[in-house]
Amino acid sequence: MKLREKDSADNKGSNLEKKKLDWSCSLIVASLVGAFGSSFLYGYNLSVVNAPTPYIKAFYNESWERRHGHPIDSDTLTLLSSVTVSIFAIGGLVGTFLVKVIGKFLGRKNTLLVNNGFGVSAALLMACSLPAGALEMLIVGRFIMGVDGGIALSALPMYVSEISPKEMRGSLGQVTAIFICVGVFAGQLLGLPELLGKESTWPYLFGVIVIPALVQLVSLPFLPQSPHYLLFEKHDQEGAEKAFRTFLGKEDISCEMEEVLAESRMQRNIRLVSVLELLRSPFVRWQLITVVISMACYQLCGLNIWFYTNSIFGKAGITPEKIPYITLSTGGIETLASIFSGLVIERVGRRPLLIGGFGLMALFFGILTITLTLQDHAPWIPYLSIMCILAIIAAFCSGPGGIPFILTSEFFQQAERPAAFTVVGTVNWLSNFAIGLLFPFIQQSLDTYCFLVFAAICFTGALYLYFVLPETKNRTHAEISQAFAKRNKAYPPEGRTDSAVTDDKTNIRPEPDSSSALEN
């Protein structure tokens, strides 16, 4: 018994030592630089357009009057303002479809590098729109920035997932969500009147976008390509081994290479799966349904709560001048909650954080509906509404805000991953566009009861994930596929990926013993 305990202690010690060695400088830099030039810009562009809205409308009115000789009518101004905000989602949808095409030839890292071209060109267009007096430049710039976001939210999670050891896949995967929240907070901060949120300086709010794009552009070329991409798609084993050594910070990568080579042998002669082939495949049916529902809930769960913050803060007695500064607290809560999620995800797991996040959001949306309905009955009720808003934001960022991207990387093999991100990205951006379009009508029809709709969506999502979602922490793709196999009622044939299609089917020959065993 003592000998077994000693061996067990030695194994635990060696595992701890291995985990410490696996945290390399290159791995951390790749995650941070990749996120700073990608998901940070997505979050920043979600919030940055709010502060300068009055000045943008004035600019549109001035440009229109200079061209047509009369002021713009209110309906046209509202339409142009709405297009400026919503066209970001249209660009994101276009970017999602471009990822697979660009990534096939350039790989994950180079796709991120090329994507900076969209970011820089969009920043220049939007920053120069006021001096040029061209409102179209601002709208086109927002569209191109959406393309940048669509590419970033697919290529970045794939790159980070493929360079991370499975023990750290969740923590590093949450870097995407953390930088989205940091970007939202930065947009709120720079939009303050003391900084760039003034009539004379609002174009610089969009010009700042150049900085993260240039940082990524000069930093990422010094880091290796994804080892999975090198091995699976370029068949460069030597390059993959070198990339693993760089990212893991150690010379002995035999365990990692053995795991990847085993998957590589299964995927020999396999080409990338198309979206249609992925949708038809029985082997990944429930994996696809699960990530689609997770991503739809991610967008439809009610983060449009921002529309209510100013009125709720005003009811609580906060003066209009101070409301923008109080609103910063929401961005701070977002950032802290996402960092907390990144720290605990490998201990707690994906499943509890995702289900618990949606469940808590449903609970606090219900309470918020009650407090908003009764806020005139007592002076302390509006403060309870503020606490509910902060709790909803914290619950979202602690799980639902980032885990859907991680699950998409973990559920699918190399050949399936680009198509899966295309499907999930399409759901993401269409849901984003739909909620932006429909929320004003929902708010107008239901008033404070509109949050019950979001409570129902969150509760439904949590209930589905409770019954369907397996835990993926520290599990290989084969183990995750096995967890879904019974529900899919389809077991992948030995020697092939779940849904990949071989270029030469005649090369696959069943073993005689296996065939006879299956027939028996």
Side-chain angles (χ1 to χ4, degrees):
M1 281 294 291
K2 288 182 179 180
L3 184 60
R4 286 182 180 176
E5 289 174 3
K6 184 177 184 299
D7 290 340
S8 177
D10 290 342
N11 288 334
K12 288 180 180 178
S14 64
N15 287 338
L16 287 172
E17 185 180 356
K18 180 182 175 184
K19 286 186 179 181
K20 288 179 182 177
L21 286 172
D22 283 350
W23 285 96
S24 74
C25 181
S26 297
L27 188 61
I28 296 171
V29 169
S31 303
L32 296 181
V33 169
F36 183 56
S38 301
S39 59
F40 173 87
L41 288 181
Y42 169 74
Y44 182 81
N45 280 280
L46 287 179
S47 64
V48 73
V49 76
N50 294 330
T53 296
Y55 309 127
I56 291 174
K57 287 183 175 180
F59 164 57
Y60 284 177
N61 187 48
E62 181 185 337
S63 300
W64 187 277
E65 188 171 3
R66 187 168 55 250
R67 292 182 190 181
H68 302 281
H70 59 84
I72 191 172
D73 63 89
S74 60
D75 291 339
T76 306
L77 182 61
T78 303
L79 177 63
L80 285 174
S81 180
S82 299
V83 168
T84 304
V85 175
S86 60
I87 203 168
F88 180 70
I90 303 298
L93 186 60
V94 173
T96 298
F97 288 113
L98 290 176
V99 168
K100 186 179 177 183
V101 179
I102 300 174
K104 180 179 180 180
F105 296 102
L106 300 180
R108 320 305 188 219
K109 186 190 81 169
N110 292 334
T111 298
L112 292 174
L113 287 172
V114 168
N115 194 36
N116 290 306
F118 291 108
V120 171
S121 59
L124 293 176
L125 279 171
M126 292 187 288
C128 296
S129 59
L130 181 62
L135 59 89
E136 297 87 356
M137 290 175 65
L138 184 59
I139 296 174
V140 172
R142 284 283 292 176
F143 172 80
I144 295 174
M145 201 64 238
V147 175
D148 176 277
I151 293 173
L153 289 188
S154 294
L156 178 65
M158 280 193 281
Y159 182 61
V160 172
S161 172
E162 290 173 8
I163 67 175
S164 306
K166 67 177 184 291
E167 297 84 4
M168 291 179 274
R169 223 165 36 207
S171 296
L172 291 178
Q174 277 297 87
V175 170
T176 300
I178 291 170
F179 271 80
I180 290 175
C181 297
V182 173
V184 169
F185 182 72
Q188 294 171 339
L189 183 64
L190 293 178
L192 293 176
E194 289 80 3
L195 297 176
L196 299 178
K198 299 191 290 285
E199 187 173 5
S200 60
T201 57
W202 68 262
Y204 297 114
L205 281 169
F206 300 104
V208 167
I209 293 168
V210 169
I211 297 173
L214 291 179
V215 168
Q216 187 182 85
L217 199 59
V218 300
S219 303
L220 213 55
F222 297 99
L223 295 165
Q225 180 61 270
S226 159
H228 286 71
Y229 172 79
L230 292 172
L231 187 63
F232 286 77
E233 297 182 33
K234 292 298 181 182
H235 309 293
D236 182 6
Q237 183 169 338
E238 185 179 346
E241 290 176 356
K242 185 178 178 182
F244 265 128
R245 289 191 183 95
T246 302
F247 285 127
L248 301 183
K250 61 183 183 180
E251 287 299 318
D252 182 14
I253 55 164
S254 54
C255 293
E256 288 78 8
M257 282 302 298
E258 183 180 347
E259 187 176 298
V260 177
L261 285 170
E263 188 178 351
S264 177
R265 284 190 291 271
M266 292 176 64
Q267 300 194 53
R268 191 177 290 120
N269 299 324
I270 289 175
R271 60 178 173 83
L272 289 179
V273 174
S274 70
V275 171
L276 191 59
E277 288 167 342
L278 187 73
L279 293 173
R280 288 175 173 175
S281 172
F283 307 121
V284 292
R285 181 176 294 124
W286 280 96
Q287 290 94 311
L288 196 59
I289 292 171
T290 300
V291 293
V292 164
I293 289 177
S294 300
M295 190 58 73
C297 291
Y298 165 82
Q299 283 291 354
L300 302 177
C301 66
L303 264 253
N304 302 79
I305 198 170
W306 301 110
F307 290 101
Y308 260 81
T309 52
N310 287 358
S311 61
I312 293 171
F313 291 156
K315 288 284 186 180
I318 299 169
T319 59
E321 296 79 16
K322 294 181 179 178
I323 285 177
Y325 304 95
I326 303 298
T327 303
L328 283 176
S329 65
T330 58
I333 290 291
E334 272 191 312
T335 304
L336 291 175
S338 59
I339 291 173
F340 166 78
S341 177
L343 294 174
V344 304
I345 189 170
E346 293 300 350
R347 292 176 178 269
V348 178
R350 287 72 157 144
R351 180 181 157 86
L353 288 175
L354 193 57
I355 297 171
F358 280 129
L360 288 173
M361 288 180 74
L363 173 64
F364 286 113
F365 270 130
I367 298 173
L368 180 62
T369 302
I370 297 171
T371 58
L372 289 175
T373 305
L374 303 176
Q375 63 184 0
D376 296 327
H377 289 67
W380 53 268
I381 293 181
Y383 293 98
L384 190 57
S385 299
I386 293 174
M387 296 302 295
C388 285
I389 288 174
L390 297 180
I392 289 167
I393 292 170
F396 174 80
C397 293
S398 64
I403 293 178
F405 297 101
I406 298 174
L407 294 181
T408 308
S409 296
E410 293 181 328
F411 281 179
F412 302 95
Q413 292 194 35
Q414 186 80 12
E416 304 159 346
R417 209 167 283 142
F421 268 99
T422 300
V423 173
V424 170
T426 301
V427 172
N428 177 27
W429 290 102
L430 285 178
S431 301
N432 182 305
F433 181 75
I435 198 66
L437 189 67
L438 298 177
F439 180 76
F441 299 101
I442 297 173
Q443 179 185 350
Q444 187 178 2
S445 302
L446 300 177
D447 196 30
T448 56
Y449 294 101
C450 68
F451 292 113
L452 291 179
V453 175
F454 301 131
I457 291 171
C458 291
F459 178 77
T460 303
L463 197 64
Y464 170 86
L465 294 169
Y466 178 80
F467 287 107
V468 175
L469 179 67
E471 182 54 67
T472 61
K473 180 184 70 171
N474 292 340
R475 299 177 79 175
T476 64
H477 176 269
E479 293 169 338
I480 295 170
S481 296
Q482 192 64 30
F484 276 104
K486 185 176 179 181
R487 192 175 295 276
N488 286 327
K489 297 180 181 178
Y491 292 83
E494 188 178 355
R496 291 180 62 185
T497 52
D498 290 349
S499 64
V501 179
T502 60
D503 288 326
D504 186 3
K505 294 184 181 180
T506 58
N507 288 337
I508 300 175
R509 296 174 183 170
E511 295 291 336
D513 293 341
S514 300
S515 299
S516 59
L518 287 170
E519 288 170 5
N520 290 337

